[in-house]
């Protein structure tokens, strides 16, 4: 039977590498300062806190789903609470490397960052959608890690939490900028994703899949291209200015307008062909997007 090890506390991770923690809810480490003593192996590890890892040099291969990912030097990997990770190819001669920022959700209670964590969608990206940073960006990451480490090393006082969380938030904001840059530098690959999405979306509705499977969803098209929903959605939004869901709704309305011109089709029939389980849901979307109900639009035209 596959075994799963839960890392509940930040120290559960640090102790694996014989690294000490200066705060129970947050820690920053140069992993090369730690040692690996061949602790018990689990088939999977589940994190109960946020983890951000800056890859440095050669190291272990992380397995996510059915694929292995061997990260190149200068890669940032983000893990969210509840995420399950397989780690393979670790032996007794393994030497840790890279840097890690670990923080528990409890650290964020009552802070601005607690309200905005969902904005950092890269925590839900798949591992092969990791962030590859330039040398200049890498140095900025290390500088921010050093600021957090310096604050933690001063001891805990009434200002510690505010300053530590502020620096974590600043770091995450920079990561958004880095991802925006990565989307731009991969413009050619992104264009292929967008074109395949548009073709697949049109085919989904026109070939009857919508009637069979329901209205098209972002997750359907993301999975079709082996991307996470958040990465796919962010890519579409950054390249087109519209969300993937807006593209889907616009396509539904475009085809709905064509179908409404057919007097032999009832509006309920059109709704079902577009994947709506209930015609009133189609009417609500159409009114919201066009300003008229389907009936009113048919009479106008």
């Amino acid at each position: 039977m596959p075994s799963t090890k839960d890392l509940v506390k930040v120290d559960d991770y640090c102790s694996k590498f014989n690294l000490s923690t200066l705060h129970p809810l947050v820690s920053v480490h140069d992993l090369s300062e730690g040692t690996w003593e061949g602790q018990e192996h689990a088939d999977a590890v589940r994190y109960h806190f946020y983890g951000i890892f800056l890859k440095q040099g050669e190291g272990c291969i992380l397995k996510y789903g059915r694929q292995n990912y061997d990260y190149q030097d200068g890669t940032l990997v983000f893990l969210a609470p509840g995420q399950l990770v397989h780690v393979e190819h670790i032996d007794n001669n393994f030497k840790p490397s890279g840097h890690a920022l670990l923080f528990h959700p409890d650290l964020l209670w009552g802070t601005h960052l607690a309200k905005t964590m969902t904005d950092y969608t890269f925590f839900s990206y798949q591992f092969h959608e990791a962030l590859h940073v330039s040398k200049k960006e890498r140095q900025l990451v290390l500088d921010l890690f050093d600021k957090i480490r310096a604050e933690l090393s001063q001891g805990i006082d009434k200002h510690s939490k505010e300053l530590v969380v502020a620096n974590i938030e600043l770091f995450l904001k920079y990561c958004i900028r880095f991802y925006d840059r990565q989307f731009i530098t991969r413009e050619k690959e992104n264009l292929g994703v967008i074109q395949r999405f548009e073709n697949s979306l049109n085919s989904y509705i026109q070939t009857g899949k919508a009637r069979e499977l329901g209205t098209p969803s972002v997750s359907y098209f993301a999975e079709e291209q082996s991307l996470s929903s958040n990465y796919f959605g962010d890519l579409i939004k950054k390249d087109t200015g519209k969300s993937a869901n807006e593209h889907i709704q616009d396509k539904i309305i475009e085809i709905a307008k064509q179908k409404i011109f057919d007097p032999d089709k009832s509006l309920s029939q059109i709704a079902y062909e577009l994947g709506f389980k209930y015609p009133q849901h189609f009417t609500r979307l159409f009114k919201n997007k066009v300003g008229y109900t389907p009936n009113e639009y048919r009479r106008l035209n």
Side-chain angles (χ1 to χ4, degrees):
M1 291 278 299
S3 60
T4 300
K5 181 177 178 60
D6 284 275
L7 300 179
V8 178
K9 300 178 295 183
V10 168
D11 189 58
D12 291 341
Y13 178 91
C14 299
S15 61
K16 292 198 313 178
F17 299 101
N18 293 309
L19 293 166
S20 59
T21 54
L22 297 175
H23 191 292
L25 298 178
V26 57
S27 194
V28 183
H29 288 290
D30 178 346
L31 297 179
S32 66
E33 297 173 354
T35 58
W36 176 263
E37 297 182 353
Q39 288 99 325
E40 75 280 2
H41 173 72
D43 296 294
V45 175
R46 180 180 289 108
Y47 287 74
H48 291 256
F49 45 84
Y50 293 98
I52 302 159
F53 302 92
L54 177 62
K55 176 75 169 62
Q56 178 177 303
E58 298 300 321
C60 67
I61 293 175
L62 293 179
K63 184 177 182 181
Y64 186 79
R66 298 179 179 178
Q67 291 181 278
N68 291 333
Y69 301 101
D70 188 7
Y71 296 109
Q72 62 188 25
D73 192 21
T75 300
L76 276 171
V77 180
F78 300 84
L79 298 175
Q83 197 154 1
L84 195 67
V85 178
H86 292 75
V87 183
E88 298 184 346
H89 302 285
I90 295 183
D91 56 38
N92 292 338
N93 297 320
F94 171 68
K95 177 63 179 175
S97 64
H99 300 263
L101 167 61
L102 313 166
F103 59 98
H104 197 280
D106 289 355
L107 177 73
L108 308 182
W109 283 359
T111 69
H112 175 264
L113 184 55
K115 301 174 184 177
T116 60
M117 275 303 293
T118 54
D119 295 343
Y120 303 104
T121 51
F122 43 75
F123 278 103
S124 297
Y125 289 178
Q126 293 183 24
F127 284 1
H128 65 282
E129 300 159 347
L131 178 61
H132 304 285
V133 293
S134 66
K135 288 184 178 180
K136 185 176 180 180
E137 292 167 344
R138 182 179 181 278
Q139 188 56 54
L140 181 54
V141 168
L142 293 176
D143 289 345
L144 288 168
F145 280 10
D146 283 342
K147 286 183 179 180
I148 297 170
R149 185 184 296 109
E151 181 57 40
L152 292 173
S153 66
Q154 292 184 24
I156 301 174
D157 59 28
K158 65 179 183 179
H159 303 288
S160 300
K161 176 177 176 177
E162 180 181 359
L163 290 170
V164 168
V165 172
N167 277 292
I168 292 175
E169 186 168 18
L170 178 61
F171 164 71
L172 296 177
K173 288 180 182 296
Y174 271 110
C175 289
I176 288 180
R177 169 184 277 181
F178 298 159
Y179 257 116
D180 283 351
R181 184 268 309 151
Q182 182 162 294
F183 282 125
I184 292 171
T185 57
R186 293 182 176 179
E187 186 176 1
K188 183 178 179 181
E189 294 88 341
N190 295 348
L191 183 60
V193 170
I194 294 167
Q195 289 175 339
R196 288 192 295 272
F197 168 48
E198 292 176 346
N199 292 337
S200 183
L201 173 57
N202 190 64
S203 175
Y204 185 97
I205 299 174
Q206 298 284 26
T207 61
K209 275 189 179 179
R211 188 179 188 107
E212 177 188 352
L213 302 176
T215 52
S217 65
V218 174
S219 60
Y220 174 90
F221 299 105
E223 185 175 344
E224 193 175 54
Q225 301 202 47
S226 299
L227 298 172
S228 66
S229 294
N230 276 347
Y231 184 90
F232 177 76
D234 289 348
L235 185 157
I236 297 296
K237 181 68 179 287
K238 285 179 172 63
D239 272 60
T240 69
K242 293 196 298 185
S243 70
N245 198 49
E246 286 177 307
H247 278 278
I248 290 171
Q249 291 182 347
D250 288 347
K251 177 59 67 173
I252 288 174
I253 296 302
E254 175 190 325
I255 296 176
K257 287 179 177 179
Q258 298 170 7
K259 290 179 178 291
I260 284 173
F261 288 136
D262 186 346
D264 295 328
K265 287 184 182 290
S266 69
L267 295 178
S268 293
Q269 184 180 356
I270 293 172
Y272 295 137
E273 288 178 357
L274 293 172
F276 291 91
K277 189 174 181 181
Y278 303 105
Q280 57 266 38
H281 293 172
F282 166 56
T283 298
R284 188 181 304 127
L285 175 65
F286 196 92
K287 176 71 180 291
N288 183 53
K289 287 286 186 178
V290 181
Y292 299 98
T293 66
N295 252 327
E296 291 169 341
Y297 187 81
R298 175 173 271 178
R299 287 198 297 268
L300 285 170
N301 290 275

